[in-house]
Amino acid sequence: MMCLAVPGEVLDIDGSIAMVDMAGVKRRVCIDLLAEVHPGDYVLVHVGFALQIIDEQEAQETLKLLRACFQEDLHAAVGSQQEGD
Amino acid sequence: MKLVDEYRDPAVARYLLEQIRELCDGPLNIMEICGGHTHSIVRSGMEQVLPPTIKFVHGPGCPVCVTPTAKIDQAIALARRPRTIIATYGDMMRVPGSSSSLLQEKAKGAHVKIVYSSLDAVRLAVENPDSEVVFFAVGFETTIPANGLSVIRAKQLGLTNYSMLSNHVLVPPVIRAVLDDPAVRIDAFLGPGHVSTIVGSQDYEFIPAEYHRPVVISGFEPNDILESLFMILKQRREGRCEVEVQYSRAVTKYGNPRALDVVKDVFSPVEQEWRGIGAIAESGLSLREELRAFDAYHKFHDWMPLQRPEEPSECVCGEITRGVKEPRDCASFGTGCTPERPLGACMVSTEGTCAAYYRYQLVTVQTGGVRD
């Protein structure tokens, strides 16, 4: 539990406190450790504090890259099988 | 759940495993520093499908597990003080001191409260002006800024009944200690993901520079860890040795500057005792001198136990924390030591190595493992 941080979406902000939706559970989270945060941002929540904004674009790009490699290999494997047939 | 499920896709996991098998060309001991990674590795059972030459060495990254018995005894001594409320994170309740635990003290009538956040502890101090509230705060770099902010908040509120008994520990000095220990054999590191959101990837550059071991900072889902393994193997294959970030959605080079400012404003480095490892210079943080009014150790110095307790001899938690032994090497594992009645801290915290093995791989451990 101690170093666990869970991603959640910022719903709204009131001063130092943001309401964050973490997989359907809404929690009040202190955002004083972040310079700037907006509703719609995904943040990593740890012991009631938002530690970092998750770079969604970075996340999607990494996933896309991984999936692209995976698909390429899959096609290569299926392709060579067909050739073998 | 968004940004979680994407990293659990079994098809991608199979693909990554194939890539890992292809690149793996000899024994590789990887230390995962963080207890969160240990938990994820053991829970997913990935060791059973990885090449048998890849071995995870579980590291010292569980803050509860490295808290020395003496510190628990101090918290217990304060719990016995009249009109005193101890606030702490849930994991600390069952950790055995030399003769009791906070949970046992609570059962006997002490005011011990579990808090989710350090600010809840400050609120307790506001709501109980006639009591002293002591926040028993433990943590690595991930948790230290949050704990530190509570002192800033208490000071702003002018509270005189709030103080902190802290056991704050830092990753880089303990990694040095582990690497300097000839009993430990490590070829590469899985870097701690959430610690790094705060300190940034630059905090580990000394590992490749001075110790010539690669580091990949990893996320916590199974595919994050597999991808990080792949990246470590790729570094080895290509003859590189550097710090890379797999967890790039949350980790930058310089971390979270605002959180680091809080740490700097509130704490200063001190020598720190690590359970099972011993004292390491500048490996801990305690409150700065000008904030001593909030330091429970100084504020209640007369209540602190004088005797230094001995660690239980039948427990090998120390060696497990250093990565020298595994739970199966401990005669008490699963019999004399269980999460309900823990002998050592590794069995208490959900991030502890023994707790992870007990929960997910009890049968594997007791029958000697599927790989042996």
Side-chain angles (χ1 to χ4, degrees), chain A residues 1-3 5-7 23 27 32-33 42 46-49 51-52 54-56 58-59 63 66 69-70 73, chain B residues 1-2 6-7 12 15 19 63 116-118 138 142-143 146 149 153 194 197 248-250 256 258 350-351:
Chain A
M1 165 204 162
M2 281 299 306
C3 266
V6 180
R27 273 212 112 115
D32 281 354
L33 293 177
Y42 272 76
H46 170 67
V47 296
F49 288 79
L51 292 188
Q52 191 62 272
I54 300 175
D55 189 336
E56 259 194 89
E58 177 74 32
L63 279 172
L66 195 60
C69 290
F70 168 57
D73 265 47
Chain B
M1 184 174 166
K2 191 170 165 187
E6 297 94 317
Y7 302 92
V12 172
Y15 166 73
Q19 301 292 310
Y116 168 65
S117 156
S118 64
V138 301
T142 322
T143 321
L149 207 66
R153 189 62 60 85
H194 290 139
T197 63
S248 56
R249 59 192 186 274
N256 178 340
R258 195 178 258 232
T350 47
E351 278 169 69

Side-chain angles (χ1 to χ4, degrees), chain B residues 85-346:
Chain B
I85 300 169
I86 304 291
T88 193
Y89 296 124
D91 278 10
M92 296 308 292
M93 294 295 283
R94 281 177 198 272
V95 184
S98 50
S99 63
S100 179
S101 69
L102 285 171
L103 190 66
Q104 282 168 293
E105 294 302 308
K106 189 180 166 79
K108 283 191 246 165
H111 298 283
V112 183
K113 307 257 187 203
I114 294 176
V115 289
Y116 168 65
S117 156
S118 64
L119 297 182
D120 295 341
V122 176
R123 193 172 314 123
L124 275 174
V126 173
E127 288 166 0
N128 297 277
D130 296 333
S131 293
E132 285 289 340
V133 172
V134 177
F135 178 39
F136 184 23
V138 301
F140 275 96
E141 290 93 327
T142 322
T143 321
I144 294 171
N147 292 348
L149 207 66
S150 76
V151 174
I152 296 177
R153 189 62 60 85
K155 197 175 174 210
Q156 283 166 348
L157 293 170
L159 293 177
T160 55
N161 64 332
Y162 179 80
S163 60
M164 179 187 277
L165 181 67
S166 72
N167 201 79
H168 291 137
V169 283
L170 302 171
V171 170
V174 77
I175 294 303
R176 280 183 189 277
V178 161
L179 279 167
D180 290 336
D181 181 346
V184 183
R185 278 272 309 127
I186 299 160
D187 303 309
F189 286 92
L190 203 65
H194 290 139
V195 164
S196 305
T197 63
I198 302 293
V199 299
S201 63
Q202 50 88 31
D203 223 30
Y204 314 103
E205 271 160 15
F206 73 95
I207 301 177
E210 294 174 38
Y211 293 93
H212 314 291
R213 267 45 165 229
V215 181
V216 174
I217 297 166
S218 177
F220 290 83
E221 297 306 325
N223 289 355
D224 284 324
I225 296 174
L226 289 176
E227 192 183 356
S228 301
L229 272 183
F230 170 71
M231 288 165 77
I232 288 171
L233 286 163
K234 205 152 173 264
Q235 281 201 34
R236 189 160 79 161
R237 174 67 62 92
E238 293 168 3
R240 287 182 293 123
C241 181
E242 53 198 68
V243 178
E244 287 185 300
V245 181
Q246 181 276 336
Y247 198 30
S248 56
R249 59 192 186 274
V251 175
T252 59
K253 186 164 184 186
Y254 298 107
N256 178 340
R258 195 178 258 232
L260 289 171
D261 280 347
V262 170
V263 175
K264 214 164 54 203
D265 291 346
V266 178
F267 300 104
S268 54
V270 285
E271 182 180 90
Q272 170 72 37
E273 180 82 23
W274 295 64
R275 191 174 203 155
I277 296 174
I280 305 173
E282 306 224 316
S283 67
L285 290 178
S286 86
L287 288 174
R288 294 179 71 92
E289 220 166 304
E290 62 267 29
L291 293 168
R292 277 238 168 124
F294 296 97
D295 190 331
Y297 184 79
H298 290 282
K299 191 172 180 179
F300 305 109
H301 198 258
D302 294 348
W303 286 84
M304 292 298 153
L306 293 172
Q307 272 185 333
R308 284 183 66 83
E310 284 182 21
E311 305 290 338
S313 57
E314 65 271 42
C315 167
V316 300
C317 268
E319 280 122 313
I320 291 173
T321 306
R322 262 170 30 230
V324 180
K325 286 194 173 168
E326 291 184 33
R328 77 179 69 160
D329 301 323
C330 181
S332 306
F333 176 81
T335 52
C337 180
T338 62
E340 287 71 38
R341 288 177 177 277
L343 276 180
C346 297

